[in-house]
Amino acid sequence: MVVLALATAAYTWVVRIVVDKAQNIGGGDAMSSAKTYAFAILPILIGIPAISGISNYFQRILANKIALNSVAKMQKQMFAASHAADYASFSREPTGNRISKFVSDVSVISAALIRVLSNLIRDLLTVVFTIAAMLWQNWMLSLAMVIFALAIWPIIAISQKMRGSAKDVQEHVGTITSELKESFGGARMIKTYGLEKHEETRLGKSFDERIRRFLKLVSEQARVDPILEVLGGLVIAAIVIFGVYQVSADLATPGSIAAVLTGIMILSPKLRALGTLNNVIQEGLSSLTRIFDVIDETPQVTERTDAVTLENPRGHVVLEDVSFTYADGTQALNGVTIEAKPGEMIALIGESGGGKSTVINLIPRLYDVTQGKISIDGHDIRDLTFDSLRRRLALVSQDVTLFNDTVAANIGLGNLSATHGAIEQAAKAADAYDFIMALPGGFDTVIGEDGDTLSGGQKQRLAIARAILRDAPILLLDEATSALDADSEAKVQGALETLGKGRTQIVIAHRLSTIKRADRIYVLEKGRVVETGTHASLSKKENGVYARLKSLQMEG
Ligand code: ADP
């Protein structure tokens, strides 16, 4: 950049030499004077552009390399921070908004960085060198440049506005990404309900809003250029008029006037480029703020520095007088006490909203209890390392999480160091082996986003195979509410029984068969345990909540 800037500023000399040499060359015949002249000026006319071109090439590649590397590092940090953040942060910020930070904000920053790296220093140096060259050539004339200083105040005011508008634009990109994600994710419902037009209108409004916000930003950006252009005109006028006076009074050579004018010709676009560079910088800064919001977020649920590792877990889970309130103030649990002894199966039942899922969320510390404590084998879970706590747990929930990867890879997420043989064993134990082998690629079949190519029962069995592979002493189960067909149902139930053998199970139960097998049932209502007992003892209770629930939901 330094070389490039020097080469550019050197043009003022080139013009001076070209003009003054042409004047002094007189005498002799025209042809030989032209020849002498050509020999004198050609080396500079070819040499300077060559130096400038070569340095431009290297500078550009370097600038891109630095910008791309920085941005990739930022993406990695932001991704790590996103997963290190509290689980609650995922419900606070729509996923699409988060995604847009990885895609859109990052590309705004990348563009800004590339421009800053290629232009800021080069243009600033060019401006400094050119001004120095002009002062050297004819300092009095060069003073006309102070007129440019008039632009400083308006540019600062415009910059502040621009940063706000750039933030508006990026935030809206986040909204659009969220809306698109929702809309495409809901394709099945949208088609079945014939909502295509409705969606077109809804998203159409968002796309139009983007234009509105963008134009606001552009109209602010566009104000900088004309200010500098008009000032540039004034500067040139001052130089020409005063220059004519200097030459007439024999105070300067025409070459030096031409040199100063050339300097202005170089300076003017560079100053304007710095003005528009400021636009890009403001946009980049606003995106940077959005990204740093993610990177700098401090999680509330953290591992203690002196956390202990849980050795030889038995799977004794106790919730002692646990209360929990969500960030929005909803009290989901209120003084709940639940115990699951090693190897026991505990069923949580009750009307929706009673707090069953919250119990399941608290055990892996997706959230920390607001009051009371949860312990595993006598250790408060807040005293355990995340790794030793979570390695003791396996979760099978009704909405199975599958990635667009092979069957083997999806099961393998249960234990990342499992061998292919172990994965096949787990599949067999989950009664999934036969259907997997019937897939076109067997265990190497890619199952599509969310496992779209599989049936509900098949997805459940993959999730169970994953949990079997994990081989954890404690199972958290969220039984599917929607009934599968009889055959799938029997297979899933069979797989679940295999999975549950010898493990502590805490199940959000919906099926009477599960509830009957449970060692203890906890009926949750409005965040409290209202009844506890076995199926037999609770069924006998006249007017009991359990008896009522059973008659309402589970008979038949
Ligand atoms: P259940 O699983 O028994 O249906 P939940 O544990 O899901 O009950 O919910 C208990 C209460 O907590 C409900 O009032 C529910 O609206 C509320 N709740 C659940 N999840 C959240 C959340 N992420 N933020 C705020 N409130 C929540």
Side-chain angles (χ1 to χ4, degrees):
M1 282 189 275
V2 176
V3 175
L4 193 55
L6 281 173
T8 313
Y11 276 107
T12 54
W13 263 280
V14 177
V15 172
R16 180 189 196 136
I17 293 168
V18 167
V19 174
D20 287 348
K21 263 210 179 342
Q23 279 197 327
N24 301 336
I25 213 141
D29 66 304
M31 193 58 197
S32 72
S33 340
K35 232 175 172 173
T36 327
Y37 183 62
F39 274 115
I41 62 157
L42 270 181
I44 5 182
L45 280 186
I46 295 171
I48 290 183
I51 295 171
S52 161
I54 292 168
S55 41
N56 195 359
Y57 171 80
F58 285 109
Q59 176 263 332
R60 189 154 165 189
I61 291 177
L62 257 177
N64 274 274
K65 215 167 161 179
I66 296 172
L68 292 172
N69 276 322
S70 318
V71 160
K73 204 166 163 186
M74 226 180 274
Q75 280 180 312
K76 288 175 193 165
Q77 281 186 355
M78 182 162 55
F79 188 73
S82 297
H83 276 302
D86 289 337
Y87 180 66
S89 71
F90 288 98
S91 42
R92 233 181 2 248
E93 183 176 19
T95 318
N97 198 23
R98 183 66 62 100
I99 292 173
S100 80
K101 292 185 178 175
F102 283 89
V103 186
S104 172
D105 286 283
V106 152
S107 66
V108 168
I109 293 173
S110 169
L113 260 182
I114 290 174
R115 290 235 3 222
V116 166
L117 288 169
S118 340
N119 301 11
L120 180 65
I121 300 177
R122 191 186 70 196
D123 289 353
L124 271 181
L125 286 177
T126 309
V127 166
V128 170
F129 292 153
T130 309
I131 290 177
M134 288 162 69
L135 289 170
W136 179 271
Q137 301 288 348
N138 187 334
W139 67 269
M140 261 208 278
L141 212 46
S142 305
L143 288 183
M145 286 179 304
V146 294
I147 295 177
F148 277 125
L150 294 175
I152 292 174
W153 286 117
I155 287 184
I156 289 177
I158 295 170
S159 299
Q160 277 163 353
K161 275 196 176 171
M162 275 193 297
R163 206 183 301 181
S165 306
K167 184 158 171 265
D168 281 352
V169 169
Q170 286 307 321
E171 272 173 2
H172 189 65
V173 173
T175 311
I176 293 186
T177 316
S178 290
E179 287 174 344
L180 285 174
K181 190 175 160 284
E182 263 178 1
S183 190
F184 294 142
R188 189 161 110 154
M189 192 273 281
I190 287 166
K191 278 207 186 304
T192 341
Y193 277 67
L195 292 174
E196 293 92 338
K197 277 274 169 283
H198 173 262
E199 285 295 288
E200 271 173 41
T201 322
R202 195 168 73 91
L203 270 295
K205 275 193 196 134
S206 253
F207 297 137
D208 290 341
E209 173 65 14
R210 181 179 139 75
I211 301 178
R212 195 189 66 74
R213 293 190 187 205
F214 220 97
L215 281 180
K216 182 161 174 285
L217 175 63
V218 170
S219 78
E220 282 156 12
Q221 292 177 337
R223 283 175 212 168
V224 177
D225 235 21
I227 297 177
L228 289 170
E229 188 133 20
V230 169
L231 291 178
L234 282 178
V235 173
I236 290 178
I239 290 173
V240 172
I241 293 166
F242 194 61
V244 168
Y245 165 78
Q246 279 189 328
V247 173
S248 318
D250 239 357
L251 291 170
T253 65
S256 77
I257 312 294
V260 172
L261 276 177
T262 308
I264 291 297
M265 297 298 178
I266 295 171
L267 215 52
S268 225
K270 289 291 173 204
L271 285 178
R272 268 188 276 150
L274 285 173
T276 50
L277 184 62
N278 181 41
N279 300 347
V280 184
I281 293 177
Q282 301 306 328
E283 275 185 74
L285 285 179
S286 89
S287 285
L288 212 52
T289 316
R290 279 165 50 82
I291 286 182
F292 284 157
D293 282 346
V294 179
I295 294 181
D296 292 340
E297 187 170 328
T298 347
Q300 302 294 316
V301 180
T302 51
E303 189 177 273
R304 288 176 45 172
T305 43
D306 55 350
V308 295
T309 311
L310 184 60
E311 306 283 357
N312 306 320
R314 290 170 297 123
H316 186 187
V317 183
V318 181
L319 278 78
E320 246 178 273
D321 197 22
V322 167
S323 297
F324 179 73
T325 306
Y326 282 101
D328 66 358
T330 312
Q331 180 162 33
L333 295 178
N334 189 352
V336 167
T337 297
I338 291 175
E339 181 175 18
K341 297 203 180 86
E344 273 188 340
M345 176 176 166
I346 296 303
L348 306 177
I349 68 163
E351 279 166 12
S352 150
K356 305 181 293 294
S357 312
T358 306
V359 169
I360 298 282
N361 287 342
L362 289 178
I363 296 173
R365 292 189 70 199
L366 298 186
Y367 305 92
D368 270 343
V369 297
T370 321
Q371 241 180 58
K373 78 168 188 185
I374 300 179
S375 62
I376 292 182
D377 298 344
H379 294 276
D380 188 323
I381 55 173
R382 285 167 296 193
D383 294 339
L384 299 173
T385 59
F386 278 140
D387 183 60
S388 77
L389 167 64
R390 290 172 185 165
R391 248 189 315 143
R392 306 304 179 241
L393 304 172
L395 170 75
V396 178
S397 89
Q398 53 175 319
D399 44 341
V400 179
T401 303
L402 292 170
F403 294 100
N404 185 17
D405 201 341
T406 62
V407 172
N410 269 292
I411 297 176
L413 291 175
N415 176 359
L416 293 176
S417 51
T419 60
H420 196 79
I423 290 176
E424 283 190 16
Q425 280 305 316
K428 279 182 184 152
D431 202 0
Y433 188 78
D434 292 341
F435 92 76
I436 294 172
M437 290 318 280
L439 293 172
F443 276 85
D444 296 325
T445 316
V446 174
I447 53 177
E449 204 176 5
D450 273 332
D452 271 350
T453 55
L454 303 174
S455 78
Q458 290 172 334
K459 287 193 224 179
Q460 296 254 334
R461 278 180 281 156
L462 286 191
I464 294 169
R466 183 189 285 165
I468 290 175
L469 191 66
R470 190 160 189 78
D471 196 20
I474 301 165
L475 277 183
L476 307 174
L477 261 122
D478 181 3
E479 212 171 43
T481 38
S482 53
L484 301 166
D485 62 88
D487 182 41
S488 298
E489 181 69 49
K491 284 183 171 145
V492 169
Q493 286 304 326
L496 279 174
E497 272 170 45
T498 315
L499 169 65
K501 274 201 191 89
R503 303 180 210 270
T504 308
Q505 301 182 63
I506 298 176
V507 188
I508 298 180
H510 299 288
R511 298 184 204 304
L512 195 55
S513 60
T514 314
I515 295 167
K516 277 181 175 163
R517 283 196 297 123
D519 293 295
R520 212 160 28 261
I521 300 163
Y522 290 87
V523 184
L524 281 162
E525 217 176 57
K526 299 200 176 80
R528 290 176 186 277
V529 176
V530 289
E531 275 174 24
T532 317
T534 59
H535 169 69
S537 72
L538 288 180
S539 302
K540 278 196 220 115
K541 242 183 172 173
E542 300 233 339
N543 295 327
V545 184
Y546 180 76
R548 197 187 74 228
L549 278 174
K550 193 165 72 106
S551 67
L552 275 178
Q553 298 178 338
M554 289 141 192
E555 300 265 61

